[in-house]
Amino acid sequence: GGGEVDVRAGCPYVNFTPSTGLRTGPLTAAAEARGLPHAGRDGKTGQTLLRSVLAPMFVQRALSVRAWSGTNLLGGGDGAALADPAAAAAKNAGKERVLADTLGTAPEGEVHIDDVPALGDWKTAWDHIAFDGFLGSRMILQTIWQGCDSALAAPLVLDLARLLARAHEAGLSGPLPELGFYFKDPDGGPAALAEQFEALLAFAERLAPVAQAPGESG
């Protein structure tokens, strides 16, 4: 696979897909032996991005989430690839993880993914959230996300390529949970987007080159 090729070439590795990537014993060990940084998996560009913002809101306002269901309509290569039940299950595991990690338990409900070739590179994600308010008042929040997948993913991939290259240059190795901001299923760290962003900013500061004083040579 791509991860094995990258490791053999001595390159940092980013897994922006729901595939296993380096999360197998031999590949993880090979990356560690070569001192390579890596991050993943599955880029967070739409529905899960929104979930990582909304789920903390329910916790912070003490609104009990009873059920969280969703539907994805995808075209292009993504829709075709996720028509495979095993691929869809891997994708949905990341979507569900952010809810379980943030809410403390997995609410009722599932995510359904439909391949709609006519949509091309555009995707539509619909979420239906049932929650309880003060004195058990039952309420509903519904969201619709419509976006161009390539335009959402491209800047994240560019960020990750630069961050991993700099991490490698700085001598860092192993999984980088500080990059969880970009992923549905990161290598540890918080699940809430705001906390992930703070971790990313702190990580970027660590990677910043140390400025030399006037007259110093390096």
Side-chain angles (χ1 to χ4, degrees):
E4 183 177 0
V5 172
D6 287 350
V7 169
R8 288 180 175 177
C11 298
Y13 178 73
V14 175
N15 183 8
F16 207 72
T17 77
S19 63
T20 302
L22 293 188
R23 293 185 182 179
T24 64
L27 286 180
T28 300
E32 290 178 358
R34 290 178 178 263
L36 299 176
H38 53 90
R41 66 183 177 173
D42 202 1
K44 180 167 59 187
T45 60
Q47 185 178 44
T48 310
L49 176 68
L50 194 56
R51 287 179 168 209
S52 68
V53 173
L54 290 176
M57 177 196 71
F58 286 105
V59 173
Q60 291 158 4
R61 285 297 178 95
L63 300 170
S64 178
V65 175
R66 293 183 289 108
W68 198 315
S69 305
T71 295
N72 271 243
L73 307 179
L74 303 172
D78 246 7
L82 294 172
D84 174 58
K91 171 77 72 173
N92 286 339
K95 292 178 179 291
E96 293 165 3
R97 175 182 169 181
V98 67
L99 298 182
D101 287 355
T102 305
L103 301 175
T105 183
E108 291 181 13
E110 299 178 348
V111 175
H112 298 277
I113 299 176
D114 293 329
D115 178 23
V116 186
L119 292 179
D121 197 37
W122 288 75
K123 64 181 178 184
T124 296
W126 171 70
D127 269 9
H128 183 281
I129 308 156
F131 64 97
D132 291 341
F134 186 56
L135 298 179
S137 301
R138 295 202 160 189
M139 292 175 265
I140 299 291
L141 173 63
Q142 297 184 60
T143 66
I144 298 176
W145 176 283
Q146 294 178 296
C148 178
D149 218 26
S150 295
L152 291 165
L156 309 188
V157 173
L158 292 172
D159 277 0
L160 286 165
R162 295 170 66 188
L163 287 164
L164 265 290
R166 176 61 189 138
H168 192 206
E169 186 180 52
L172 301 183
S173 63
L176 299 176
E178 298 91 342
L179 300 182
F181 179 74
Y182 297 99
F183 299 104
K184 292 183 183 72
D185 188 14
D187 300 300
L193 192 72
E195 294 177 35
Q196 290 176 335
F197 187 58
E198 291 299 321
L200 174 63
L201 293 180
F203 182 63
E205 286 187 10
R206 282 177 55 200
L207 294 181
V210 177
Q212 292 184 341
E216 288 185 349
S217 60

